[in-house]
Amino acid sequence: MLSTATGTPAPAEATWRPKQPPLTTPWTDQVGPGNALPEYPRPQLTRQRWMNLNGLWDYAGGGEQPRTTRERILVPYPPESALSGIQRHDDHMLYRRTFDVPRDWAGQRVLLHFGAVDQKATVSVNGRRVAEHEGGYTAFSADITDALRPGSPQRLEVAVTDRNDENPYPVGKQRNEPGGILYTGSSGIWQTVWLEPVPAAHIDAVDITPDAAAGAFSLTARTTGTTGERVEAVVTDRDGREVSRAGGPADRPLRLPVDRPHLWTPDDPYLYDVAVRLVDARGRTVDRVGSYAGMRSIALVRDAQGRPRMALNGRVVFQHGPLDQGFWPDGSYTAPTDAALRSDLEQTKRLGFNMVRKHVKVEPARWYYWADRLGLLVWQDMPSLPIDLAEAPGSNPPPSAAAREHYRDELVAMIDQLRSSPSVVVWVPFNEGWGEFDTVRVAELVHRADPTRLVDPSSGVNCCYSLPDSGAGDLYDDHTYVGPGRPPVEGRRASVDGEYGGLGLALDGHLWPGRPQAYEMTHSREELTRRYAEVSDDLAGIVRDTGLSAAVYTQTTDVENEVNGFLTYDRRVLKPDPEVVAAHNRAVIDAGTP
């Protein structure tokens, strides 16, 4: 078990209490200062000792950078959320707290980690600047050892600027003025903040790439402070039996062959445990971390009719799942609890799907951990740059040079952050042309950053604000509402319905303030279930006739005024009959899986 040490919040005159959200979830009342996301936040690089800094912090926000904190906020819930206790947007934010370094950390380096802070963050410890970070979706860390003061509480300060869609950063569907398919923004700290002690020479990351055809893992331990230390890695199966061992220089790939490997699939999401040690010339352990890995491949193949299809582990498997937005009525961008985060994926499995498209958002590491564990293929979108969707297609100016630079930087960082997750099989750089630019070059950039996965360069290339089809990438992606779409399957790329559906049902008592919207509105559970069955039957016929490779239904949950989810926004009602939905989803998968 991983142990946690508790930091001491800074004193403040203000008190904290949660605000009342327009809708509560089953987990809203479980959240408080003593249990704000207490789980270990980085499942693919684990250590035994760490300190969670989630909880109450001093806070101030406004139109200018504040200097004095007069409120309290519950981290890591964004200020716009009810769970934060603030429930408003501030362009500029100031977070402060103190913590004590445990005595048994003496002689170690101390690392400070942030899961994500939106958009620009400057971090100081005891008045000394230790980190600056731009971009709201990727993790960052700082070695704060030299800023610590022995024998006294340590003062931590995070100054943040986030003007949401008015700044040239990827924002996904966040907006200062939400409405329709655009939602309330989330600013500031919105993922776990934590500390860990490490030796001077230590492991920073473990990159694991499966080679299912060869039955081997490639593992690279990225390190800091090494002076000739070696890496030793051991792979064990679920029963704890060693199945592979290798050693070699740090920061170099190790090959770990596995005899008769157990392949990872959505029906059997088998994961191996991985232990990695950094050892010195005398064989003494300098640092050790834990991880896990799944053996699987993703590629394009030709089916019996010569059509390009998506194949998992060398076999054509139809990929079917919902569009997953990742918004919460109580926590905004942040799920109230880890159980809530897991629950959406469990419901996706219950509905018979084998895939999920994470739509223009990057989730905390634990979301991908649950996708890996539960067995869902993940299509990972890059959060889009802001555009004005009220303007007609073609009227938005191209992204500025600064926006393009921020986009490329965060795209590569996202890929690097998620590269070891076996569930992630497709990267989606652009959606419906939102902030699209240099499509061919961006697709090539993604392929260079990760040649082991497929690239869907322009989801919804047939519609909306998309630039003309560039022919780049591995997939041709059609969006048709209600649909399903019937794109041709030809050439070298597989064809997919990247979005379809959008059948709505508004349920009193489970609605966000405002007018409910959907692509097609139904008026009862029975009508919604019947229409879903009809659309699914049409989809199954298209799959059989054309060789379509995948389909993404809109969507997992209602989001604010959109009511086309399987679940209400508060996650309290599963709207259609789940048995009927699951049966039709399995029939579609079977239709496309020879």
Side-chain angles (χ1 to χ4, degrees):
M1 292 290 292
L2 296 167
S3 61
T4 229
T6 302
T8 304
E13 296 177 0
T15 59
W16 174 89
R17 62 177 57 88
K19 302 291 187 181
Q20 182 63 38
L23 293 170
T24 64
T25 70
W27 305 275
T28 303
D29 293 339
Q30 298 176 19
V31 177
N35 66 340
L37 297 180
E39 294 81 12
Y40 191 83
R42 191 185 57 194
Q44 284 199 297
L45 185 69
T46 61
R47 287 189 173 92
Q48 292 297 314
R49 294 191 296 173
W50 69 295
M51 177 189 290
N52 194 332
L53 295 184
N54 292 345
L56 292 181
W57 293 48
D58 295 337
Y59 177 81
E64 303 290 339
Q65 186 60 58
R67 297 180 181 274
T68 304
T69 54
R70 294 184 174 88
E71 299 173 277
R72 307 207 80 185
I73 187 170
L74 186 60
V75 169
Y77 303 99
E80 291 87 347
S81 71
L83 289 177
S84 72
I86 304 297
Q87 207 172 32
R88 70 169 186 270
H89 170 77
D90 292 314
D91 281 354
H92 301 278
M93 294 146 274
L94 179 63
Y95 295 79
R96 285 174 173 159
R97 67 161 291 155
T98 63
F99 62 91
D100 295 316
V101 178
R103 291 182 180 180
D104 63 355
W105 289 15
Q108 300 284 289
R109 308 298 295 181
V110 178
L111 304 183
L112 171 64
H113 301 287
F114 292 85
V117 182
D118 201 2
Q119 293 167 318
K120 295 177 63 177
T122 301
V123 183
S124 301
V125 174
N126 296 322
R128 178 171 175 174
R129 184 172 297 183
V130 295
E132 293 184 354
H133 183 76
E134 297 187 45
Y137 294 97
T138 50
F140 64 99
S141 303
D143 185 334
I144 64 171
T145 313
D146 295 339
L148 298 176
R149 294 176 178 171
S152 64
Q154 314 298 324
R155 294 185 295 108
L156 172 58
E157 181 175 292
V158 184
V160 185
T161 298
D162 183 354
R163 299 174 64 242
N164 211 338
D165 50 309
E166 295 180 11
N167 271 352
Y169 294 95
V171 295
K173 286 197 169 187
Q174 302 180 83
R175 290 298 186 273
N176 286 324
E177 297 182 6
I181 65 170
L182 303 174
Y183 318 127
T184 303
S186 293
S187 304
I189 299 172
W190 68 276
Q191 292 186 27
T192 291
V193 186
W194 54 293
L195 297 165
E196 66 174 344
V198 298
H202 59 268
I203 298 167
D204 291 315
V206 175
D207 298 335
I208 304 174
T209 302
D211 183 347
F217 292 110
S218 174
L219 182 150
T220 301
R222 289 185 269 167
T223 65
T224 289
T226 50
T227 55
E229 288 84 356
R230 290 171 51 84
V231 169
E232 292 184 356
V234 177
V235 180
T236 54
D237 63 17
R238 282 180 177 172
D239 297 322
R241 293 187 295 260
E242 181 178 316
V243 297
S244 190
R245 176 185 292 266
D251 303 295
R252 300 283 185 86
L254 300 178
R255 188 174 185 275
L256 291 150
V258 178
D259 187 37
R260 296 189 298 276
H262 194 141
L263 299 180
W264 186 98
T265 71
D267 292 331
D268 183 13
Y270 190 92
L271 296 173
Y272 291 93
D273 289 322
V274 181
V276 183
R277 292 195 307 147
L278 193 63
V279 297
D280 64 17
R282 297 183 179 181
R284 296 174 300 187
T285 299
V286 176
D287 189 20
R288 69 172 73 237
V289 297
S291 190
Y292 67 85
M295 185 71 76
R296 65 101 187 95
S297 67
I298 185 73
L300 294 185
V301 300
R302 296 279 176 175
D303 66 11
Q305 289 76 43
R307 301 171 300 195
R309 304 287 297 279
M310 299 174 70
L312 179 69
N313 300 327
R315 176 182 174 232
V316 172
V317 174
F318 189 85
Q319 299 187 26
H320 193 19
L323 195 72
D324 191 307
Q325 310 270 13
F327 281 75
W328 298 83
D330 47 9
S332 193
Y333 241 22
T334 306
T337 69
D338 190 61
L341 192 72
R342 183 180 74 243
S343 178
D344 279 1
L345 296 174
E346 289 175 330
Q347 292 285 13
T348 300
K349 291 285 289 188
R350 177 187 179 189
L351 292 173
F353 289 116
N354 63 1
M355 176 263 274
V356 58
R357 179 182 169 197
K358 177 46 61 179
H359 194 36
V360 293
K361 181 192 178 189
V362 182
E363 291 285 2
R366 292 193 64 84
W367 188 90
Y368 302 94
Y369 166 79
W370 287 119
D372 295 338
R373 290 281 175 193
L374 295 171
L376 281 164
L377 300 165
V378 173
W379 291 23
Q380 178 61 53
D381 288 13
M382 174 62 192
S384 52
L385 290 166
I387 69 167
D388 186 354
L389 297 186
E391 298 292 335
S395 60
N396 277 279
S400 67
R404 295 196 299 270
E405 182 179 1
H406 291 316
Y407 174 93
R408 286 188 291 258
D409 288 348
E410 202 157 4
L411 172 63
V412 172
M414 176 191 74
I415 293 170
D416 189 52
Q417 186 167 303
L418 301 179
R419 67 171 63 254
S420 296
S421 176
S423 60
V424 178
V425 294
V426 175
W427 302 115
V428 186
F430 296 115
N431 178 75
E432 295 183 351
W434 303 350
E436 185 176 359
F437 68 96
D438 293 346
T439 312
V440 173
R441 292 180 181 177
V442 169
E444 292 171 347
L445 174 66
V446 174
H447 269 303
R448 287 196 303 272
D450 179 11
T452 72
R453 292 179 172 91
L454 301 178
V455 180
D456 180 1
S458 186
S459 187
V461 69
N462 64 305
C463 79
C464 314
Y465 300 81
S466 292
L467 300 178
D469 182 20
S470 67
D474 303 296
L475 306 180
Y476 177 89
D477 187 324
D478 175 283
H479 289 189
T480 300
Y481 286 103
V482 166
R486 194 183 181 95
V489 180
E490 58 190 11
R492 63 173 186 81
R493 295 178 295 174
S495 291
V496 303
D497 278 356
E499 292 182 29
Y500 77 101
L503 302 170
L505 175 62
L507 295 180
D508 290 342
H510 304 276
L511 298 176
W512 191 258
R515 183 174 66 86
Q517 300 177 32
Y519 291 95
E520 175 185 314
M521 197 70 77
T522 65
H523 300 91
S524 68
R525 184 175 194 245
E526 292 74 20
E527 183 185 1
L528 175 61
T529 302
R530 176 180 59 79
R531 283 294 292 130
Y532 187 82
E534 292 171 351
V535 172
S536 292
D537 287 343
D538 289 345
L539 176 60
I542 292 170
V543 172
R544 283 190 294 266
D545 292 345
T546 68
L548 196 72
S549 278
V552 179
Y553 179 85
T554 301
Q555 59 187 338
T556 305
T557 73
D558 294 350
V559 185
E560 298 194 356
N561 297 137
E562 278 195 300
V563 294
N564 47 23
F566 292 108
L567 292 154
T568 54
Y569 193 25
D570 57 12
R571 273 72 167 180
R572 294 185 182 274
V573 180
L574 182 57
K575 293 191 284 186
D577 184 322
E579 293 186 2
V580 174
V581 170
H584 280 80
N585 288 340
R586 287 192 290 267
V588 169
I589 293 171
D590 289 344
T593 305

